[in-house]
Amino acid sequence: MVSAWIADKRLSDRERERRREERHEKLAMRRADFQRETLLALQAASQKLMRVAAAMHHKDRMAFRKTGAWQKQQLGEDLSNEHLRQTTETKLLASRVLDNETREVANEFRKLASTVSICGSEGDAEERLNAAANMQGILIERIGQLVRELDEPR
């Protein structure tokens, strides 16, 4: 009777441990899926923010050619709202990324892209836009590396 109880207890303990490991594995898979989705969304959001920053810079350059004054015109509500939307989206997505380096690169990119339209001269704006494009390239590469690591067999 005692030996049956001990055998049953061992079986119960093994079953409990197996269920715990399954829960742990499912949680790890959900975390990896969430990170993958977040990283891919951050790549897309960074591209949209870069496009908005370039559109704002283009509008500033066209106005500068007409007026000879840098940064004296409004950018328009649509472009301004899209800039806010993409800046916010990039910041929110970056805040969900577990990797510190990626968060830092994403935040630096966002800051550069967001300040192109407030530079004091065409040259400064051009430099800032180029720096944002370079930082975005670094971000895209880093995200690609992380996604590949997530997809590696465990």
Side-chain angles (χ1 to χ4, degrees):
M1 182 99 157
V2 171
S3 65
W5 179 83
I6 291 173
D8 192 42
K9 172 103 172 86
R10 287 181 185 156
L11 181 63
S12 177
D13 289 347
R14 282 193 303 263
E15 183 63 25
R16 187 177 315 114
E17 180 63 22
R18 185 189 60 76
R19 285 193 309 264
R20 188 188 70 74
E21 287 175 8
E22 282 179 5
R23 281 192 307 271
H24 181 72
E25 187 175 314
K26 285 179 183 178
L27 181 59
M29 288 176 63
R30 280 199 309 262
R31 282 185 185 138
D33 288 345
F34 178 76
Q35 275 303 291
R36 184 181 302 98
E37 291 170 14
T38 300
L39 289 165
L40 294 173
L42 180 57
Q43 267 187 332
S46 75
Q47 185 60 36
K48 290 175 185 175
L49 179 56
M50 192 66 219
R51 287 182 59 96
V52 170
M56 295 170 83
H57 180 63
H58 177 72
K59 191 163 183 160
D60 284 339
R61 287 181 70 197
M62 294 301 106
F64 180 62
R65 286 193 176 126
K66 286 181 185 175
T67 66
W70 186 254
Q71 296 288 323
K72 301 296 181 193
Q73 75 288 337
Q74 295 277 326
L75 287 171
E77 191 172 338
D78 288 347
L79 193 54
S80 182
N81 286 339
E82 186 62 18
H83 179 256
L84 175 61
R85 188 172 20 264
Q86 296 311 323
T87 300
T88 302
E89 181 73 6
T90 302
K91 185 172 186 168
L92 289 173
L93 289 167
S95 74
R96 297 174 187 156
V97 173
L98 293 175
D99 183 69
N100 288 335
E101 181 183 341
T102 304
R103 273 197 319 276
E104 289 170 8
V105 171
N107 287 329
E108 183 62 25
F109 161 70
R110 181 183 46 78
K111 288 174 189 174
L112 288 166
S114 296
T115 57
V116 169
S117 65
I118 60 171
C119 289
S121 71
E122 183 179 16
D124 288 347
E126 195 75 30
E127 270 184 43
R128 189 73 50 97
L129 188 64
N130 288 334
N134 289 335
M135 191 61 66
Q136 189 208 16
I138 294 167
L139 178 61
I140 296 292
E141 288 298 318
R142 180 69 182 151
I143 289 172
Q145 177 185 357
L146 291 174
V147 169
R148 287 187 299 278
E149 288 172 7
L150 286 170
D151 289 340
E152 287 178 356
R154 298 181 192 254

